[in-house]
Every structure is written in structure tokens, then in C-alpha cells.
Amino acid sequence: MPGKLYIVATPIGNLEDITIRAIRILKEVSFIACEDTRRTKILCNAYGIETPLISYYSYNEHTKKDVLINYLEQGKDIALVSDAGTPGISDPGYVLINAAIEKGFDMEAIPGPTALINALSISGKPTNKFVYEGFLSNKSSQRRKRLEQLKDEQRTIVFYESCHRIVKMLTDIFEIRGDIEIVCAREMTKKFEEIHRTKVSNIIEVYKNKKPKGEFVVII
Ligand code: SAM
């Protein structure tokens, strides 16, 4: 019998945000493929999960995929997790998942947190239709070009951003879209969780006066 591939969502900050089923699957599989073994070890230690970890991150995604497919062929079950949230959502997963589909392996997703859904659910913006844009480019010209292209988008748009680029990104939004009302969610589920629902200029002002730290979801 070939093995099964489980795509397992893990917490985006608060270790308590994991399902009972996710914990059981992580205990039962032969291997857990994860981005950063040190990070996943923290989760495993919290729940007494002793399953061996295999590192699987964006730079070794193609080569490690073959190793993992080999284990599945040998009948070993594998769980794929990422550092936070749902694998494949701005995280590694795509390559392995497609290889598993191509080879006809059984696969199951174990649902759980995703930063974009967490932020959308409390944003107050329309959620009946939305688009997920993920990270904009780290190159200013490409970032601005994409924001220009999105000018006519009627649906709610969700972006991911890091603390290093948040002020630049918000400034681009201000210059291209004007002083629109946006939502900026920082460090959700963590100790310093913060959400701003206000004009983009106000949020730029906040983070010009206080160095932005942590992880951000921006909704426009
Ligand atoms: N796979 C993850 C998911 O399901 O949301 C996303 C991984 S992506 C590499 C990391 C980005 O997600 C961060 O830069 C930030 O934009 C967003 N993010 C993750 N956790 C977050 C949190 N607790 N609060 C706000 N944004 C978060």
C-alpha cells in the first residue's frame, strides 16, 4: 500500500490554535516534512509529538520532493507542515502536492489557521468576494506596477507583508490609491496582536513613529 500525504495547517502564532485531528495525524505519520525543524520542534514538544522531522523548504523543494515521493512509494505516510498556517499558502507545498497528484497518491488536507482568513474575518471589509495577492514584489517598480494593475479591482484585496517593507508598501498604496480606508492586522493570535481600520496615512504615521515589528496582513 502506498503512503498518504497529509497537508496539515498549524498555528500562526498561538500554539493552542491546532486541531485535535492535526495533533493525531502528526503523531501517526512516519515523517513530518517541515520548513524549519527548530520551529516545528517547538510545536511537537508542546504536544508530545515524537515523529521524525525532514526539512522541506523553498530552496530544496525540488530535490527533497523526490525523497518524500520515495517514502510515499514505500508506504510511509507523510505530513507536510509549514512554519505557520496552511502549507502552500505563500509557503512551500505546491511542488510536492503536484508530484503527489501526478503519481496518484492519496492526499488529505487537515484544515486550520491561515493568516489571510483570520484577518479577513475581523476586517469589516466585504468577504463575499475577495482576491488574495500574497506578497507584492520587493522591487519598488514592480510593486507599484501591480498596485496600478489592481486599481480597477472591485473585490476586497488581501496582501501579506513583512515588517521590513510595510511602510514602503503602505506608502505605495497611498501614492497610487490615495488616502483610502484600509485594514492592517499585525501579529494576529500573538501577544502584541494589533488591528488598524483607518486611512492609510494614519497607519503610515503609526509605523513611522513606532518601528513596525512582526507580521502583517493588509486588506484594501
Ligand atoms: N502559510 C501562511 C498562512 O497560511 O497564512 C503564510 C506564510 S507567509 C511565509 C508569512 C506571512 O503571512 C507573513 O509575512 C504575514 O504577512 C502573514 N502572517 C503569518 N502569520 C501572521 C500573523 N500571526 N499575523 C499577521 N500576519 C501573519
Side-chain angles (χ1 to χ4, degrees), residues 50-213:
E50 292 174 353
T51 310
L53 305 179
I54 298 179
S55 90
Y56 179 78
Y57 51 93
S58 45
Y59 292 104
N60 73 3
E61 212 174 343
H62 287 272
T63 49
K64 270 292 167 69
K65 166 208 80 186
D66 297 333
V67 175
L68 297 172
I69 291 291
N70 211 5
Y71 280 133
L72 291 169
E73 275 162 355
Q74 289 168 27
K76 309 240 184 265
D77 291 343
I78 295 175
L80 174 70
V81 302
S82 60
D83 277 353
T86 302
I89 307 299
S90 295
D91 264 339
Y94 181 81
V95 173
L96 176 64
I97 290 161
N98 275 289
I101 291 169
E102 209 171 281
K103 298 256 180 197
F105 288 116
D106 207 2
M107 198 162 37
E108 208 173 324
I110 312 299
T114 307
L116 76 114
I117 298 296
N118 222 64
L120 264 177
S121 70
I122 53 163
S123 67
K125 296 286 185 197
T127 51
N128 53 336
K129 287 184 181 166
F130 63 86
V131 281
Y132 172 58
E133 275 287 319
F135 289 96
L136 286 168
S137 171
N138 55 12
K139 294 196 180 80
S140 172
S141 58
Q142 286 184 26
R143 199 166 55 232
R144 293 174 69 91
K145 188 173 166 201
R146 185 70 195 134
L147 285 168
E148 287 282 0
Q149 287 168 344
L150 289 167
K151 251 179 151 175
D152 294 329
E153 177 59 67
Q154 297 300 304
R155 294 167 292 182
T156 297
I157 312 173
V158 187
F159 301 96
Y160 278 178
E161 197 47 277
S162 75
C163 54
H164 310 293
R165 272 196 303 272
I166 188 74
V167 172
K168 283 185 189 156
M169 182 232 201
L170 295 175
T171 305
D172 287 339
I173 291 175
F174 176 80
E175 287 174 3
I176 289 161
R177 301 289 301 258
D179 203 6
I180 55 173
E181 292 273 342
I182 69 162
V183 178
C184 187
R186 182 178 85 90
E187 294 287 83
M188 289 177 298
T189 77
K190 303 186 199 175
K191 189 172 175 192
F192 297 107
E193 174 162 353
E194 174 175 85
I195 184 154
H196 295 285
R197 297 178 193 84
T198 181
K199 289 194 186 317
V200 64
S201 62
N202 293 334
I203 307 174
I204 295 170
E205 212 47 39
V206 169
Y207 293 125
K208 272 191 174 163
N209 295 323
K210 187 177 74 173
K211 195 170 183 279
K213 287 188 185 154

